Amino acid sequence: MGELRGSDRALVAEQLGREPTIPFTVVARCPGGHPLAIRNAPVDTDGTPFPTLFWLTCPAAARAVSRLESEGWVSRLNERFETDATFAEAVRRAHVAYAAERARGHPGAESHGGVGGTRTGLKCLHAHYAHHLAGGDDEVGAWVAGEVEPIHAERPDRVAAIDQGTNSTRVLVAEPDGSGGFADLARDMIITRLGQGVDETGAISPDALERTVPVLAMFARRARALHATRIRVGATAAVRDAGNGAELERIVRGLTGSALEVLSGEAEAELSFLGATRGLDAPGPYLVLDIGGGSTEFVLGDARPTVALSTQLGSVRLTERFIRHDPPASGELEAARAEVHRILDGVEAAITAAEAATFVAVSGTATTVQAVALELPFYDPERIHRTRIERSEVEAVTTRLAAMTTAERAALPVMAPGRADVIASGALILAIVMERFGVDEALVSETDILDGLVLEMLAGPGVPEPPGVR
């Protein structure tokens, strides 16, 4: 949960006045991009529990909350906790939710306490406010927000987009930058595997919904905490293929106030193209490849897409169909390879890859393969975005990942929790596409459909229409 750019480490050290001692990610940013709130690891490098999971690091925000504490509001709110049963129950719910989030990826860590390590009552308004900014259901944090905000000047029309994919749930909260683009206020991804089993059953399972809905709720709360005036939720292959998507549509409307957009494969492809190519300093035409969990999109174009194609090919779908052993057996890999080639026969009939001057690879598969190739000590989007990777490097990483067990892949410092079991299939797709299309080098982009969703939201009267907006 959260994002960590290489520059964030120096920024947080400057904010704290010392080097951070606990691994962290950024869950919310102030205008200008500096960290507002971070998520600390539940335990330090020695395994000692760390009480403050969400930490308010922005000095201006911390000072504003400190003024409330100096006015005695911790004591006053604790008095209310003792006398107001409804308020006390809301505080208890916040502690339970905080403890559950503490245990994400660290089973057993929920025993280390709730907000700021507290199990009852209130201890630290900074911790409650940071929890609220992260998307926690925290009544105290929301009250603090009402007392201290705005901390910084804000541009109007902040928006949020949620990309509900087959493998992951992602959010981007942004404000317009005045020139047709935007600045990030939060960018996050949690692998929820909504599409698990959809290829076989044609339905979203109750377990998949149970994993996904709390993340959607948290991302919607975070968007509102960061003052997004609109929340857009786009769903891709898993929901397109599921016969029971209406239940998710009902849930999304309740959580966000917006209808769930079940994107067609072609719309998904065009949005990926928009997000990948906006501001790209590379010669066109472009061929954009977006490897998802349930589908893979191919888009060819220059200022705008000219051909957009979506295929029933994805890292989750390929894994579920062909991979039974860990690591995959050679026969399983050959069967998966044959399926990729079969689908690419149809792609080649529709798209002439040789027309493209630049091959752009987006999505978590491509960026993770690049992170492995670069041997990064952690997943750093600043080190990955719009860098280039040669086909030989993709093939080497694919071979390496296919030879590893899921546990060995999960132990790689750049591997997102939940991606390790499907990354080998995704890498295989990337390697074969480059081989079939005669691509010697790919430009890897961190921006994709999520950015395309936001750009479309911000394109209005007086704003230049971005390429690909239909």
Side-chain angles (χ1 to χ4, degrees):
M1 177 180 175
E3 175 191 47
L4 182 61
R5 306 171 184 170
S7 58
D8 288 331
R9 292 185 166 186
L11 289 170
V12 169
E14 182 180 352
Q15 290 176 329
L16 300 179
R18 60 171 175 77
E19 290 294 325
T21 58
I22 303 292
F24 69 89
T25 56
V26 177
V27 293
R29 298 181 186 276
C30 296
H34 68 266
L36 170 59
I38 64 174
R39 183 189 191 276
N40 290 304
V43 296
D44 65 19
T45 53
D46 296 326
T48 303
F50 191 75
T52 309
L53 185 67
F54 297 108
W55 192 319
L56 191 66
T57 61
C58 169
R63 286 193 298 269
V65 178
S66 292
R67 283 195 292 272
L68 291 178
E69 291 192 342
S70 69
E71 293 168 2
W73 277 105
V74 172
S75 295
R76 294 186 212 181
L77 291 169
N78 271 315
E79 289 173 5
R80 184 181 173 190
F81 178 82
E82 296 297 333
T83 58
D84 183 339
T86 301
F87 178 70
E89 179 57 30
V91 173
R92 291 189 188 99
R93 284 200 308 271
H95 286 317
V96 170
Y98 197 98
E101 180 58 38
R102 189 193 296 279
R104 185 189 297 277
H106 288 79
E110 64 273 15
S111 64
H112 302 156
V115 182
T118 308
R119 288 176 171 79
T120 185
L122 294 88
K123 177 182 177 183
C124 175
L125 298 186
H126 297 79
H128 281 277
Y129 182 43
H131 185 212
H132 164 74
L133 292 170
D137 183 8
D138 194 316
E139 185 169 321
V140 174
W143 175 84
V144 172
E147 295 295 315
V148 304
E149 292 177 352
I151 303 294
H152 304 286
E154 299 179 5
R155 288 182 178 270
D157 200 25
R158 289 185 171 187
V159 299
I162 296 174
D163 169 29
Q164 183 51 66
T166 298
N167 196 39
S168 64
T169 305
R170 301 187 299 154
V171 67
L172 171 59
V173 185
E175 67 175 17
D177 62 9
S179 60
F182 61 84
D184 291 11
L185 299 170
R187 191 181 287 262
D188 205 347
M189 183 276 294
I190 294 176
I191 291 179
T192 57
R193 197 63 60 83
L194 179 69
Q196 186 170 29
V198 169
D199 184 59
E200 179 180 1
T201 67
I204 298 169
S205 72
D207 286 349
L209 270 181
E210 187 176 346
R211 289 192 300 269
T212 302
V213 170
V215 175
L216 284 169
M218 177 177 62
F219 284 169
R221 288 192 298 265
R222 191 184 310 180
R224 292 195 181 95
L226 294 174
H227 306 162
T229 57
R230 293 176 288 155
I231 303 174
R232 182 182 187 186
V233 185
T236 55
V239 182
R240 282 199 300 268
D241 295 350
N244 62 340
E247 173 66 7
L248 182 64
E249 293 180 30
R250 181 189 65 78
I251 292 168
V252 165
R253 185 178 289 278
L255 292 174
T256 68
S258 303
L260 175 66
E261 298 179 44
V262 182
L263 302 168
S264 68
E266 291 71 23
E268 180 182 357
E270 292 184 14
L271 285 164
S272 294
F273 184 90
L274 172 60
T277 62
R278 181 66 179 245
L280 178 58
D281 184 17
Y286 309 107
L287 176 58
V288 174
L289 173 74
D290 184 352
I291 302 170
S295 66
T296 293
E297 282 65 49
F298 300 79
V299 200
L300 181 66
D302 201 335
R304 295 174 178 274
T306 54
V307 184
L309 183 65
S310 181
T311 64
Q312 294 287 87
L313 180 66
S315 61
V316 174
R317 196 184 298 268
L318 201 65
T319 300
E320 289 184 349
R321 285 186 178 183
F322 298 103
I323 307 303
R324 298 290 179 269
H325 294 84
D326 188 22
S330 59
E332 294 168 348
L333 291 172
E334 284 307 309
R337 177 180 288 273
E339 174 69 359
V340 178
H341 278 290
R342 183 188 69 80
I343 291 175
L344 290 182
D345 288 341
V347 174
E348 284 190 318
I351 291 179
T352 305
E355 294 179 8
T358 302
F359 178 80
V360 185
V362 304
S363 80
T365 287
T367 58
T368 301
V369 167
Q370 176 68 307
V372 174
L374 292 173
E375 298 184 342
L376 298 181
F378 65 95
Y379 188 96
D380 181 357
E382 289 179 332
R383 292 281 304 277
I384 296 166
H385 183 47
R386 292 184 172 169
T387 58
R388 297 179 182 272
I389 185 169
E390 295 181 1
R391 184 170 74 195
S392 60
E393 294 176 294
V394 172
E395 292 169 345
V397 170
T398 301
T399 300
R400 178 184 173 191
L401 292 173
M404 300 170 79
T405 65
T406 297
E408 289 169 337
R409 295 184 214 115
L412 294 173
V414 299
M415 193 65 59
R419 194 183 299 282
D421 60 331
V422 299
I423 186 61
S425 294
L428 186 67
I429 295 169
L430 177 59
I432 295 174
V433 169
M434 293 180 72
E435 173 194 339
R436 279 285 294 265
F437 288 176
V439 175
D440 294 325
E441 182 182 71
L443 188 151
V444 178
S445 175
E446 284 279 341
T447 54
D448 54 19
I449 183 175
L450 191 59
D451 302 76
L453 288 166
V454 165
L455 286 166
E456 276 199 344
M457 294 177 80
L458 295 177
V463 178
E465 185 180 80
V469 174
R470 293 167 294 123

